[in-house]
Amino acid sequence: MQVLTFLIPISLLLGGLGLVGFVYTLRSSQYDDPDGDSQRILSSDWDDKPKP
Amino acid sequence: MTAAIRTQSPSACPACVAAPSAEAIAARAEALKEARIALSLPTIHCAACISTVEQALNAYPGVKEARVNLTLKRANIAADATVDPADLVRLMEATGYEAHELDVATIQATATDKAGRELLMRLAVAGFASMNVMLLSVSVWAGAADATRDMFHWISAAITLPAIAFSGQPFFRSAYSALSAKRLNMDVPISLAILLAVVMSVWETALSGSHAYFDAALTLTFFLLAGRYLDHRTRAVARSAAEELAALEVPRAIRLEDGQEITVPAAELRIGDLILVRPGSRCPVDGEVIAGASELDRSLLTGETVPVAAAVGTLISAGEVNLTGPLTVRANAVGQDTSLHRMADLVAIAESGRSRYTSLADRAAKLYAPGVHALSALSFLGWLIYSHDVRMSLNIAAAVLIITCPCALGLAVPAVTTAASGRLFRKGMLIKHETALERLANVDTVVFDKTGTLTEGTPVLSNLGDHSRSDLEVALALAEGSDHPLSRAITTAARAAGVKPATVTEITEIPGHGTQGIWRGQTVRLGRGDWLGAPAVEITSAWLAIGDAAPVQFGFVDDLRAGAADTIAALKAAGKRVILLSGDSAAPVADLAARLGIREYQANCLPETKLHYIESLSEGGAHVLMVGDGLNDTAALAAADVSISPATALDAARVASDIVLLGRDLTPVAESLVTARKATRRIRENFQIATGYNLVAIPLAIAGLTTPLIAALAMSSSSIIVSLNALRLR
């Protein structure tokens, strides 16, 4: 049972990280153009260097 | 009323009202620095399109940043104020993409879908919390006991309490507003069940009890929020598409200042301004013509198909389309005071068909909420009298509430409407109102407007065969010298019949009258009857006069909209009563009714006539679907049980209707009735499934035999069954 004192906080922390990640993506408007985002990975613009 | 609102200034102190307000100056400076332009690009579809469009726009001088949104098929551009959106539209068309300018102010309202984002956030928190709590609950169900079980329960409580406080807010708020209005809605039993489950579970945990319903409270919240979000998404998609239609009409006008033509936003026009209305554009104000001669198309306002002559002194209303020559108009009424907007008052008077209707979900809630509360209270009392154990009785009462909680009921309607709206959206119909589908399913009478709804609103020559070859050749030559819709119709018909134009010289267009020229030494004229001294006739006509000979008539009929005949036939086959109400004169209405096989029709309808007709039908017990596009239909659209307008309709008509038809084809109208009936059947089935499940689960709960595990299983399985049933509709 000793192992629970580690496992429960770890599982909560990992889940919480996922939640924080989701909140971040939602706040930064990453779900506004799902179709566009799925197509943009196919374009070769800015492949050699990131967009300034 | 509106005037009072408009005169209020954002500045607080009186001195600022007199001076140009600081806000206005700041706004103007802002506008000089940078302008935001939005273009609708309906044909873009792939990665190559995105980069072509973005590269072309970004390379244009003055454009700071351009970004394409493929989901909305739109490009958002930040540019210097000097950049003319019309140039960007031409640039896009040169690149090979159809483009239309969108009114940024109109689309900004939905640029960020705040409510949707908020719901998604709550959904995510509820999902995260319920997964973690479920993990702990499974351990408890698997046999954790004593101190371990208590620890798991306390951890669950620590996760559940904040999560419910955040995620449950939409239900709590809605339940509170219903209760303060002394009503009951579905959210009252939901909120009560969630709160009671949490309170009871905390109490049980504190007493080291074995049953805690933390997972049930969270799963319930999660499923219900999923239903809410689906519902919201469906309507948000329809709303943003509807707003895009409105934004396509950029409200601009050309104001004449000291002989200079200055393009200004229509909102800045004032009474007394001189406004230039070019041929083909819509008049933005009510006013009087002070220069120019032309013809006006009033079909969107009155349903008349015959163009009306306009000359100096003619009164012109906002919304009328100028056909031939440029007109200078002095504004008598602008903005909210125009007759276009006054028509909105009539809409306000009409008792809306929407408000008369109680949705299936509300009707279910009315039966369900009191029943559940009574059942729960009775089981509490019963057990209290039987066992004198408050804790156990409360436990059972809470279990009854949780088990009966309308998890499936909460999903029953949104899951079906989402599936049905998606299906209709793919066929080109936008469902704007949440109960539109249910109302559509009840329809037994369909009322159509004529011009612009059953017909395209474009004339077609009807008596080509009546004319001699030489007349046709002359008429064609004259018609090609004009851009008037009737001239275009003659050109199309004559060219299709293989007629070659005669050699007519000195062709001139006389705005408001017609075209004239010289043919074999004679003056030939093609134009309005009153210009050529022809007798007055009821159908839309143009006349051709060769020399001094009596003028000959070219008659026109309005072209049927694609699918109109099929739609009427399908509706009649389905046993619906079909009625035609038109503002046009008797002859063309009777002709169209005969062509489509509509037995009931009425011509010369004023907006009030249409409204009263619909109201008397409703009073007679009929469920009326109104299909119309014009301003004269607006009140009737609002009064009918449910209403459809085509995308080409005036903005006011689209706002008044529940459903917007996106394509040119009318066929989806008949199909939508079938889909709506199917959807309502699914909703009823879902209610039956939910009831059936309750019939099994409630006795168990009252008997005190439920455990949190049974509650979790029953709740999830009924929700999944209901969603799967809804998916059968796709």
Side-chain angles (χ1 to χ4, degrees):
Chain A
M1 278 306 170
Q2 219 43 11
V3 72
L4 282 178
T5 46
F6 298 103
L7 283 184
I8 291 175
I10 288 173
S11 81
L12 284 178
L13 187 76
L14 288 177
L17 273 180
L19 184 68
V20 168
F22 177 75
V23 169
Y24 163 72
T25 55
L26 194 66
R27 285 245 166 97
S28 56
S29 309
Q30 296 191 24
Y31 300 98
D32 283 5
D33 183 16
D35 293 359
D37 294 336
S38 68
Q39 293 287 340
R40 270 176 207 275
I41 53 164
L42 303 173
S43 114
S44 50
D45 301 348
W46 312 112
D47 270 4
D48 18 329
K49 58 178 181 350
K51 194 175 174 182
Chain B
M1 177 197 85
T2 43
I5 294 168
R6 259 186 300 124
T7 46
Q8 274 176 2
S9 158
S11 307
C13 74
C16 298
V17 179
S21 72
E23 288 92 335
I25 294 170
R28 214 164 293 156
E30 185 71 23
L32 276 180
K33 272 207 314 275
E34 190 175 89
R36 298 211 68 88
I37 301 167
L39 297 180
S40 163
L41 302 162
T43 53
I44 57 170
H45 62 275
C46 68
C49 302
I50 296 179
S51 50
T52 320
V53 167
E54 283 184 352
Q55 274 166 17
L57 285 173
N58 280 321
Y60 191 83
V63 171
K64 293 206 177 91
E65 207 213 332
R67 186 162 174 97
V68 169
N69 185 325
L70 188 68
T71 317
L72 298 170
K73 300 206 184 291
R74 198 182 281 173
N76 293 312
I77 300 147
D80 294 336
T82 48
V83 174
D84 183 4
D87 289 340
L88 294 182
V89 170
R90 273 192 289 276
L91 172 74
M92 280 297 97
E93 270 157 13
T95 323
Y97 296 100
E98 183 187 341
H100 307 280
E101 194 197 346
L102 294 170
D103 185 28
V104 177
T106 315
I107 54 172
Q108 229 154 33
T110 47
T112 48
D113 178 11
K114 251 192 167 161
R117 216 177 250 198
E118 199 179 275
L119 267 179
L120 202 56
M121 192 84 85
R122 295 189 201 284
L123 184 66
V125 170
F128 159 77
S130 67
M131 278 189 282
N132 275 296
V133 170
M134 193 57 85
L135 206 68
L136 297 165
S137 298
V138 169
S139 327
V140 174
W141 299 334
D146 309 326
T148 324
R149 184 182 63 205
D150 284 352
M151 184 182 73
F152 284 166
H153 278 165
W154 279 121
I155 297 173
S156 302
I159 301 170
T160 308
L161 288 174
I164 290 282
F166 175 69
S167 300
Q169 277 173 29
F171 308 111
F172 303 152
R173 245 179 279 157
S174 154
Y176 178 74
S177 63
L179 283 180
S180 39
K182 298 205 167 66
R183 284 185 300 110
L184 273 183
N185 64 3
M186 209 62 120
D187 287 332
V188 177
I190 291 174
S191 304
L192 198 64
I194 295 175
L195 289 178
L196 200 59
V198 171
V199 169
M200 201 206 72
S201 305
V202 173
W203 190 16
E204 278 292 295
T205 308
L207 297 173
S208 319
S210 58
H211 289 339
Y213 286 94
F214 292 116
D215 64 295
L218 278 169
T219 345
L220 195 63
T221 317
F222 177 73
F223 274 125
L224 290 169
L225 278 172
R228 288 289 147 99
Y229 182 67
L230 277 182
D231 202 34
H232 175 85
R233 264 283 300 272
T234 320
R235 264 173 299 137
V237 167
R239 220 175 16 240
S240 85
E243 240 143 26
E244 175 145 336
L245 282 176
L248 277 171
E249 294 165 22
V250 183
R252 288 224 184 86
I254 304 168
R255 183 159 65 193
L256 295 174
E257 290 173 13
D258 309 322
Q260 296 253 321
E261 293 177 13
I262 297 172
T263 307
V264 294
E268 283 182 16
L269 295 175
R270 295 285 168 265
I271 289 173
D273 280 354
L274 298 186
I275 294 144
L276 181 72
V277 184
R278 292 229 171 89
S281 61
R282 204 171 274 171
C283 186
V285 295
D286 282 1
E288 187 184 342
V289 176
I290 58 161
S294 178
E295 284 187 305
L296 299 174
D297 177 359
R298 293 195 157 147
S299 59
L300 275 176
L301 277 81
T302 62
E304 297 167 66
T305 39
V306 186
V308 190
V312 174
T314 307
L315 290 176
I316 177 168
S317 306
E320 295 182 351
V321 179
N322 183 11
L323 289 178
T324 44
L327 290 174
T328 309
V329 176
R330 186 193 294 120
N332 291 340
V334 295
Q336 302 293 322
D337 302 325
T338 57
S339 49
L340 194 75
H341 279 276
R342 276 205 307 276
M343 199 70 90
D345 298 342
L346 198 60
V347 176
I349 295 167
E351 192 205 359
S352 140
R354 282 170 217 177
S355 57
R356 274 201 307 270
Y357 184 80
T358 328
S359 73
L360 282 173
D362 281 351
R363 267 185 277 168
K366 238 178 237 160
L367 279 177
Y368 175 88
V372 166
H373 291 152
L375 212 58
S376 172
L378 280 179
S379 27
F380 175 72
L381 284 178
W383 277 98
L384 193 63
I385 292 164
Y386 174 73
S387 66
H388 299 283
D389 184 349
V390 182
R391 180 179 154 199
M392 192 187 75
S393 311
L394 203 60
N395 243 321
I396 287 170
V400 170
L401 263 186
I402 295 169
I403 255 290
T404 56
C405 195
C407 203
L409 284 185
L411 276 172
V413 179
V416 174
T417 41
T418 304
S421 302
R423 186 189 158 108
L424 288 176
F425 187 66
R426 282 192 295 276
K427 298 210 161 142
M429 291 188 104
L430 274 182
I431 314 287
K432 277 169 51 198
H433 198 265
E434 52 196 315
T435 61
L437 272 173
E438 295 173 27
R439 285 178 280 140
L440 199 58
N442 293 332
V443 163
D444 51 23
T445 309
V446 187
V447 178
F448 283 97
D449 165 52
K450 183 178 83 77
T451 319
T453 306
L454 282 178
T455 64
E456 290 275 9
T458 49
V460 178
L461 185 60
S462 63
N463 62 344
L464 184 84
D466 299 352
H467 301 285
S468 68
R469 192 90 186 164
S470 67
D471 279 0
L472 283 176
E473 285 170 2
V474 174
L476 175 59
L478 286 170
E480 284 188 332
S482 156
D483 212 24
H484 192 280
L486 296 186
S487 299
R488 277 204 300 253
I490 292 180
T491 312
T492 317
R495 285 278 180 196
V499 176
K500 295 267 180 311
T503 342
V504 178
T505 53
E506 294 175 40
I507 295 179
T508 48
E509 181 162 17
I510 300 166
H513 296 293
T515 34
Q516 70 174 19
I518 309 287
W519 177 65
R520 295 186 185 162
Q522 288 176 305
T523 307
V524 287
R525 297 185 292 177
L526 175 73
R528 294 178 65 84
D530 44 14
W531 180 47
L532 299 171
V537 287
E538 266 209 324
I539 62 167
T540 315
S541 309
W543 298 78
L544 173 71
I546 297 180
D548 296 329
V552 289
Q553 184 197 8
F554 285 83
F556 297 89
V557 290
D558 218 352
D559 199 8
L560 280 185
R561 190 181 271 268
D566 292 345
T567 305
I568 303 283
L571 288 175
K572 282 166 74 180
K576 312 282 180 216
R577 185 173 162 202
V578 181
I579 301 171
L580 175 65
L581 294 183
S582 175
D584 207 355
S585 49
V589 177
D591 172 59
L592 183 87
R595 270 202 286 169
L596 290 174
I598 301 176
R599 251 172 273 124
E600 292 175 78
Y601 60 89
Q602 194 173 336
N604 297 315
C605 288
L606 293 173
E608 293 84 2
T609 330
K610 291 196 182 192
L611 172 60
H612 295 319
Y613 200 103
I614 302 266
E615 281 175 348
S616 64
L617 281 174
S618 300
E619 274 159 29
H623 295 281
V624 186
L625 162 65
M626 171 81 202
V627 190
D629 76 320
L631 196 60
N632 56 339
D633 303 315
T634 316
L637 287 170
D641 288 279
V642 55
S643 45
I644 301 181
S645 64
T648 48
L650 270 190
D651 191 31
R654 283 199 309 259
V655 169
S657 53
D658 300 303
I659 299 168
V660 175
L661 196 58
L662 291 174
R664 297 217 61 88
D665 197 329
L666 265 186
T667 334
V669 173
E671 283 173 35
S672 71
L673 289 178
V674 179
T675 309
R677 250 197 322 279
K678 264 194 216 149
T680 319
R681 202 182 314 140
R682 292 278 176 278
I683 292 178
R684 284 180 201 283
E685 274 170 19
N686 276 350
F687 282 147
Q688 282 156 10
I689 293 173
T691 316
Y693 141 82
N694 274 336
L695 282 181
V696 177
I698 290 174
L700 286 179
I702 295 179
L705 296 174
T706 37
T707 60
L709 175 61
I710 294 180
L713 281 179
M715 214 150 60
S716 314
S717 55
S718 71
S719 298
I720 290 168
I721 291 173
V722 164
S723 311
L724 287 180
N725 188 39
L727 281 178
R728 289 202 294 145
L729 203 66
R730 288 183 87 86

